[in-house]
């Protein structure tokens, strides 16, 4: 069993640098519960969920079982969940519901999932124009800060935020976001964003670090890339370990999903892989391509984002 390495967030909490993703193509709570039980036995301590994934209940059941069986204590776990766009009007109630579903007392990290606000009833990933509400990040963030003051979460952060959007938030924040969770893999290196976050001591967490291999939103071009494969061969590693090792070498944490025991073990071993400078230089030359575009928050009338350029600002 690899022991999880951790990064210290600016609030002082330690966050293990490999997180266990809980989004599944064909969601099956039982499969997830079993996968989480296995993951805990293999040494995973950091779990990533969100209201919109529908995975909070099964994750909570597995975590509570492991705590009841004394395999792990609550303080050893790091649990992240996220505020969906239709809950910006009341993050305190939203996090309370998340905690009820997870059956735990507090979150280690609560993230604003996207910088977009829907009306309360629009609990969806395919909003209609009428479902959008006017985004007021100042009041959303103030309520996120209240969640910390109330002890409902230890840290707060953002996800899918561009540097400009964070800069605006910093203008009114009392608590600096601890984390920005974004898509990042060898084909989306997030160099500018990482530099910006580094300057503000905001930790970057990489989601879809394998390019979402085999998922409906992902691509096989990360793990099937011949350069990644030859780097893997050189280090007697696997392409997945190279992709994860590359992310870790950039100082980010990686949130990787596998419900398969062999691949969970394989992914954990990325912690011991050290890439050579020339490996990193070769990956540096890959062309960039974003997989999760967030087209669902773009429209001409009611969204603050009329184009993908408005969302990502790159
Ligand atoms: N904040 C956000 O907006 C956001 C967006 C997307 C994702 N996320 C988080 O990030 C997590 C991970 O992202 P993701 O699920 O999109 O992509 P990912 O972790 O890059 O890829 C997952 C896919 O790769 C397969 N896989 C895992 N390990 C492998 C290995 N060693 N070799 C070959 N295939 C492997 C998995 O299948 P098996 O299970 O069969 O192994 C699954 O199909 C999510 O679960 C979620 O928690 C956050």
């Amino acid at each position: 069993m690899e022991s999880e390495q951790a990064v210290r967030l600016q609030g002082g909490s330690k966050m293990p640098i490999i997180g266990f993703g809980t989004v599944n193509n064909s969601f099956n709570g039982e499969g997830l519960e079993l996968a989480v039980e296995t993951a805990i036995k293999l040494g995973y301590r950091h779990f990533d969920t969100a209201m919109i994934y529908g995975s909070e209940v099964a994750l909570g059941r597995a975590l509570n079982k492991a705590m009841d069986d004394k395999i792990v204590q609550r303080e050893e776990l790091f649990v992240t969940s996220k505020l969906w766009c239709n809950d910006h009007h009341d993050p305190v109630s939203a996090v309370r519901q998340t905690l009820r579903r997870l059956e735990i007392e507090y979150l280690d990290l609560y993230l604003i999932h996207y910088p977009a606000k829907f009306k309360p009833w629009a609990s969806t990933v395919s909003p209609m124009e009428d479902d959008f509400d006017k985004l007021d990040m100042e009041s959303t963030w103030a309520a996120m800060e209240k969640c910390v003051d109330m002890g409902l979460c230890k840290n707060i952060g953002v996800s899918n935020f561009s540097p400009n959007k964070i800069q605006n938030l910093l203008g009114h924040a009392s608590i600096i976001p601890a984390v920005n969770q974004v898509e990042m893999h060898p084909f989306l290196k997030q160099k500018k964003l990482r530099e910006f976050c580094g300057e503000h001591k905001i930790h970057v967490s990489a989601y879809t670090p394998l390019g979402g291999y085999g998922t409906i939103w992902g691509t096989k071009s990360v793990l099937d890339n011949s350069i990644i494969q030859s780097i893997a061969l050189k280090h007697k590693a696997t392409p997945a370990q190279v992709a994860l090792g590359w992310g870790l070498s950039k100082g980010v944490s990686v949130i990787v999903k596998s419900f398969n025991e062999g691949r969970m073990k394989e992914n954990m071993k990325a912690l011991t892989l050290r890439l050579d400078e020339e490996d990193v230089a070769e990956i540096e030359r890959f062309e960039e391509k974003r997989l999760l575009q967030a087209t669902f928050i773009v429209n001409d009338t009611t969204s603050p984002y009329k184009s993908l350029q408005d969302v990502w600002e790159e």
Side-chain angles (χ1 to χ4, degrees):
M1 179 174 103
E2 306 295 325
S3 66
E4 276 253 56
Q5 296 166 28
V7 62
R8 202 167 284 280
L9 302 178
Q10 56 174 302
S13 303
K14 272 167 79 180
M15 180 171 93
I17 55 177
I18 293 203
F20 184 94
T22 62
V23 180
N24 198 3
N25 274 351
S26 51
F27 184 71
N28 167 347
E30 241 175 60
L32 172 61
E33 226 176 298
L34 203 64
V36 172
E37 279 177 35
T38 307
I40 292 173
K41 286 181 188 142
L42 293 175
Y44 287 84
R45 293 293 178 262
H46 171 180
F47 294 88
D48 183 77
T49 182
M51 186 286 279
I52 203 69
Y53 302 164
S55 58
E56 289 174 329
V57 170
L59 172 62
R61 243 186 253 137
L63 296 181
N64 278 296
K65 183 169 184 300
M67 287 189 276
D68 291 346
D69 293 348
K70 312 255 181 276
I71 295 170
V72 72
Q73 295 183 348
R74 176 65 186 91
E75 311 79 69
E76 297 170 75
L77 294 169
F78 191 98
V79 185
T80 301
S81 192
K82 312 185 192 88
L83 177 88
W84 190 240
C85 308
N86 69 322
D87 279 327
H88 279 236
H89 62 286
D90 192 358
V92 171
S93 300
V95 74
R96 281 199 169 121
Q97 285 176 25
T98 276
L99 292 172
R100 228 169 281 142
R101 283 188 291 269
L102 282 161
E103 291 188 77
I104 55 177
E105 302 285 316
Y106 65 89
L107 288 177
D108 296 278
L109 179 62
Y110 196 40
L111 303 175
I112 298 180
H113 209 149
Y114 278 92
K117 181 173 179 176
F118 302 163
K119 295 193 177 129
W121 57 82
S123 174
T124 175
V125 286
S126 331
M128 312 294 280
E129 290 190 4
D130 270 0
D131 291 335
F132 282 78
D133 222 339
K134 192 171 183 307
L135 182 64
D136 174 3
M137 197 49 79
E138 195 164 342
S139 72
T140 301
W141 192 252
M144 294 289 284
E145 289 173 340
K146 199 167 165 204
C147 296
V148 177
D149 295 342
M150 293 171 76
L152 301 170
C153 51
K154 302 258 184 221
N155 300 279
I156 49 175
V158 296
S159 177
N160 299 300
F161 271 52
S162 64
N164 261 345
K165 291 182 178 63
I166 297 179
Q167 187 70 63
N168 291 339
L169 189 152
L170 293 177
H172 53 76
S174 305
I175 302 179
I176 310 280
V179 169
N180 186 14
Q181 189 186 108
V182 293
E183 178 184 335
M184 181 174 154
H185 44 71
F187 289 101
L188 189 65
K189 299 182 192 72
Q190 298 282 18
K191 188 165 185 291
K192 260 169 50 188
L193 180 94
R194 282 188 282 116
E195 280 168 6
F196 174 86
C197 287
E199 282 163 23
H200 295 277
K201 302 201 167 23
I202 298 168
H203 176 74
V204 173
S205 217
Y207 73 68
T208 316
L210 306 179
Y213 194 82
T215 65
I216 43 177
W217 55 89
T219 177
K220 295 200 164 180
S221 55
V222 175
L223 301 193
D224 287 353
N225 177 274
S226 58
I227 293 172
I228 299 260
Q229 289 181 342
S230 68
I231 296 172
L233 207 61
K234 181 172 89 171
H235 290 278
K236 297 193 173 57
T238 66
Q241 288 166 345
V242 171
L244 297 172
W246 171 80
L248 295 173
S249 78
K250 297 290 177 192
V252 306
S253 49
V254 290
I255 312 293
V256 58
K257 178 260 167 185
S258 180
F259 291 178
N260 170 281
E261 184 168 355
R263 291 190 283 279
M264 283 184 218
K265 275 188 199 156
E266 175 186 334
N267 295 343
M268 198 56 133
K269 287 214 168 83
L271 286 170
T272 54
L273 176 66
R274 294 287 167 267
L275 296 178
D276 302 330
E277 264 175 45
E278 64 259 30
D279 305 332
V280 177
E282 284 208 82
I283 292 173
E284 220 51 56
R285 286 194 281 274
F286 291 176
E287 245 177 66
E288 309 259 328
K289 186 177 184 324
R290 185 182 292 281
L291 298 167
L292 285 99
Q293 301 277 349
T295 43
F296 71 99
I297 57 168
V298 174
N299 77 46
D300 280 340
T301 51
T302 53
S303 169
Y305 314 117
K306 310 299 172 207
S307 66
L308 287 175
Q309 168 60 25
D310 292 344
V311 178
W312 303 115
E313 301 175 285
E314 9 174 73

